[in-house]
């Protein structure tokens, strides 16, 4: 009931008030239908997948504050060998959190190291519930480096206040970390032979814009441009801007300049550069700063922002509507097809909130991408599948398979998560997506994916 009490309803009136809201608000549809699975002979063409796991909370704790702690749970980085029947190959403890958009793990350019950021710190397993996870979960600061050949943590150091995403520069010489710090929004982590050696914190002097004070200051996402001398960043889930860097002799940013953000869209999550580097594709979950904004939300979208460093074009040039709450997006290797991972409203618990549609299934949407023009076109109806908080997805090397990571099962807050595999068929006029029925169990809290080619 906490989410209802936070918007001004007393406990006794909550159910009646919710019923009244539903009566006047147009909840047009429930969850997308669960798509039937079909066996596929395709294999996931990659060396391995890395999965980040948050051991601290159930996926529905956002709404009701109930953590449903699991006694032996831990924050983990897990390796999955896709050449041996999709089996785990290692588990390493590395502090991370689902309380940020997907982007908490990255792979070094030579594939030897993984970098994991700590958006929120860990909490004692004896704590059963919090009044507000956003305000009470401890802030994180660390970036952890794991050497994959030895499955061992080789470095842990502070990057900044509440790091929200991590990306690796094309030259492999540095990491870009977006930070929830309005006076030092970026951390540049210099790498020596793949291992962090120094941290430079950069103040971008962005306009003072914070929709949720105490929750979303600074940057909520950042991704390095393919040329390595710029980055696209998202300010407090609302503004998109281009940052250009002055690089030192080692190709590492020593300073940065930024433009004023453009505030298009409703509530922005993650971003990907097109293959041309001309456009930044940004997912829009279509929420807002109030708790009710993630309860009565409509369909989300993906926007293409003209943001090329070489010219002055700015703003949205194309948008594609998808289903509700597309927290994650990912491009295939060819750069012409994008997947949107729609959480729907699966983050809502049962009880009185069970009357709200969209809790029973998540979904996927396919979008065709024209890298030259930025044009986006949704090419399939949402493909429904079971699972709460599917937080991330990756295409394999040749783009005919997709892996999606699921946080936990429905109405079972201590249940495990899993990887689910889908086949991508491009033999017809429009691409289609089909669940294969293949799943790999993972601990509860699996939320971020990195592919090892």
């Amino acid at each position: 009931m906490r989410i209802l009490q936070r918007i001004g309803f007393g406990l006794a009136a909550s159910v009646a008030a919710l019923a009244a809201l539903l009566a006047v608000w147009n909840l047009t549809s429930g969850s997308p239908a669960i798509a039937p699975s079909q066996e596929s002979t395709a294999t996931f063409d990659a060396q391995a997948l890395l999965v980040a796991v948050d051991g601290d909370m159930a996926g529905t704790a956002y709404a009701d504050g109930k953590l449903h702690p699991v006694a032996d749970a831990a924050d983990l980085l897990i390796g999955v060998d896709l050449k041996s029947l999709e089996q785990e190959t290692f588990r390493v403890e590395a502090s991370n959190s689902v309380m940020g958009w997907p982007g908490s793990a990255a792979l070094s350019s030579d594939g030897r190291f993984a970098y994991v950021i700590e958006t929120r710190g860990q909490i004692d397993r004896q704590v059963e519930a919090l009044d507000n996870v956003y305000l009470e979960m401890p802030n994180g600061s660390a970036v952890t480096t794991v050497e994959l050949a030895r499955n061992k943590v080789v470095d842990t150091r502070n990057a900044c206040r509440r790091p929200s995403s991590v990306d690796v520069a094309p030259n492999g010489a540095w990491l870009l970390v977006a930070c929830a710090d309005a006076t030092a929004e970026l951390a540049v982590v210099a790498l020596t032979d793949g291992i962090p050696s120094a941290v430079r914190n950069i103040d971008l002097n962005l306009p003072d814009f914070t929709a949720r004070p105490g929750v979303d200051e600074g940057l909520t996402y950042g991704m390095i441009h393919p040329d390595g001398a710029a980055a696209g960043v998202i300010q407090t889930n609302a503004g998109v801007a281009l940052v250009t860097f002055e690089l030192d002799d080692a190709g590492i940013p020593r300073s940065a300049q930024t433009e004023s953000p453009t505030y298009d869209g409703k509530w922005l999550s993650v971003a990907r550069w097109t293959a041309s580097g001309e456009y930044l594709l940004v997912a829009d979950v279509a929420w807002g700063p109030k708790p009710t904004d993630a309860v009565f939300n409509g369909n989300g979208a993906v926007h293409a922002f003209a943001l090329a460093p070489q010219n002055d074009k700015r703003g949205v040039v194309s948008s594609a509507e998808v289903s509700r709450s597309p927290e994650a997006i990912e491009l295939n290797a060819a750069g012409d097809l994008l997947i949107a991972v729609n959480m729907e409203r699966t983050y809502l618990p049962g009880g009185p909130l069970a009357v709200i549609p969209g809790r029973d299934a998540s979904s996927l949407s396919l979008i065709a991408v024209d890298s030259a023009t930025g044009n986006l076109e949704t090419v399939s109806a949402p493909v429904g599948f079971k699972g709460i908080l599917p937080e991330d997805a990756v295409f394999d090397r040749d783009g005919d398979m997709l892996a999606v990571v699921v946080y936990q099962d429905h109405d079972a807050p201590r249940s495990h998560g899993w990887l689910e595999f889908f086949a991508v068929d491009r033999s017809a006029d429009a691409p289609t997506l089909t669940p294969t029925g293949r799943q790999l169990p993972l601990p509860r809290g699996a939320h971020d994916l990195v592919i090892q080619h």
Side-chain angles (χ1 to χ4, degrees):
M1 289 299 211
R2 284 185 175 87
I3 194 166
L4 296 178
Q5 291 172 307
R6 286 187 209 137
I7 61 177
F9 296 121
L11 184 61
S14 293
V15 176
L18 179 60
L21 280 171
L22 292 174
V24 300
W25 191 79
N26 183 24
L27 286 170
T28 56
S29 63
S31 303
I34 303 294
S37 61
Q38 298 179 19
E39 289 188 14
S40 173
T41 58
T43 58
F44 197 92
D45 185 20
Q47 179 181 342
L49 287 173
L50 305 179
V51 186
V53 175
D54 181 353
D56 292 311
M57 57 184 270
T60 50
Y62 290 114
D64 62 11
K66 296 178 182 179
L67 303 180
H68 297 285
V70 176
D72 60 350
D75 287 1
L76 300 168
L77 183 70
I78 293 177
V80 177
D81 184 352
L82 296 161
K83 296 186 181 300
S84 59
L85 303 178
E86 292 122 14
Q87 298 300 305
E88 286 187 30
T89 57
F90 70 85
R91 290 188 178 193
V92 176
E93 291 197 20
S95 185
N96 67 88
S97 176
V98 71
M99 291 188 64
W101 304 122
S104 63
L107 189 68
S108 65
S109 55
D110 60 9
R112 292 189 299 147
F113 300 97
Y115 309 103
V116 183
I117 56 167
E118 177 193 52
T119 302
R120 299 292 185 137
Q122 299 179 58
I123 196 165
D124 192 292
R125 294 288 174 265
Q126 303 303 312
V127 178
E128 295 280 344
L130 300 172
D131 286 335
N132 188 315
V133 293
Y134 291 105
L135 299 180
E136 297 178 68
M137 194 70 78
N139 289 325
S141 62
V143 56
T144 299
T145 302
V146 178
E147 185 178 355
L148 298 176
R150 295 192 292 161
N151 305 330
K152 180 180 179 181
V153 173
V154 294
D155 187 81
T156 301
R157 65 182 60 219
N158 291 336
C160 59
R161 177 183 183 269
R162 204 191 305 152
S164 56
S165 68
V166 60
D167 195 22
V168 180
N171 64 5
W174 54 281
L175 307 177
L176 180 76
V177 180
C179 308
D181 187 335
T183 61
E185 298 95 341
L186 286 180
V188 172
V189 182
L191 303 175
T192 301
D193 194 26
I195 298 177
S197 55
V199 178
R200 298 173 182 171
N201 297 103
I202 298 176
D203 184 357
L204 296 179
N205 295 310
L206 289 169
D208 184 12
F209 183 89
T210 304
R212 298 188 298 183
V215 177
D216 293 319
E217 297 90 350
L219 298 183
T220 47
Y221 199 81
M223 190 174 193
I224 302 169
H225 188 269
D227 71 6
V233 299
I234 300 175
Q235 181 190 17
T236 64
N237 304 308
V240 176
L242 180 73
V243 179
T244 55
F245 299 116
E246 178 189 356
L247 305 178
D248 63 17
D249 292 341
I252 300 172
R254 61 159 58 99
S255 62
Q257 292 184 329
T258 188
E259 59 186 23
S260 294
T262 175
Y263 297 98
D264 293 318
K266 294 182 179 179
W267 202 250
L268 308 177
S269 57
V270 307
R272 294 291 185 269
W273 287 101
T274 58
S276 67
E278 290 285 316
Y279 304 97
L280 188 70
L281 310 182
V282 180
D284 187 345
V285 296
W287 303 342
K290 303 187 300 297
T292 49
D293 293 332
V295 179
F296 301 108
N297 57 314
N299 284 344
V302 178
H303 308 296
F305 285 80
L307 214 67
Q310 297 84 3
N311 59 48
D312 295 327
K313 290 193 295 183
R314 296 294 179 264
V316 173
V317 298
S318 178
S319 295
E321 183 176 298
V322 295
S323 199
R324 290 177 292 231
S325 309
E327 181 167 9
I329 56 174
E330 189 58 85
L331 283 161
N332 64 354
D336 64 347
L337 193 62
L338 179 139
I339 191 72
V341 185
N342 309 309
M343 294 185 297
E344 302 294 335
R345 299 190 185 105
T346 57
Y347 39 74
L348 297 179
L353 295 184
V355 299
I356 296 178
R359 293 180 58 256
D360 300 328
S362 300
S363 70
L364 300 169
S365 298
L366 281 173
I367 297 172
V369 178
D370 187 327
S371 180
T373 65
N375 188 64
L376 305 176
E377 181 184 358
T378 304
V379 295
S380 71
V383 176
F385 63 100
K386 295 292 288 183
I388 283 179
L389 262 64
E391 292 271 323
D392 208 359
V394 290
F395 288 94
D396 70 345
R397 258 191 301 242
D398 55 16
D400 66 354
M401 290 286 290
L402 181 78
V404 179
V405 65
V406 176
Y407 198 86
Q408 70 185 62
D409 207 349
H410 298 266
D411 296 321
R414 289 184 173 88
S415 60
H416 63 74
W418 63 88
L419 278 176
E420 181 138 2
F421 296 89
F422 294 77
V424 182
D425 184 356
R426 306 193 68 167
S427 61
D429 291 339
T432 58
L433 195 62
T434 305
T436 65
R438 293 158 56 190
Q439 294 183 347
L440 173 68
L442 293 167
R444 186 194 73 178
H447 67 92
D448 237 308
L449 283 179
V450 177
I451 189 168
Q452 261 189 306
H453 291 298

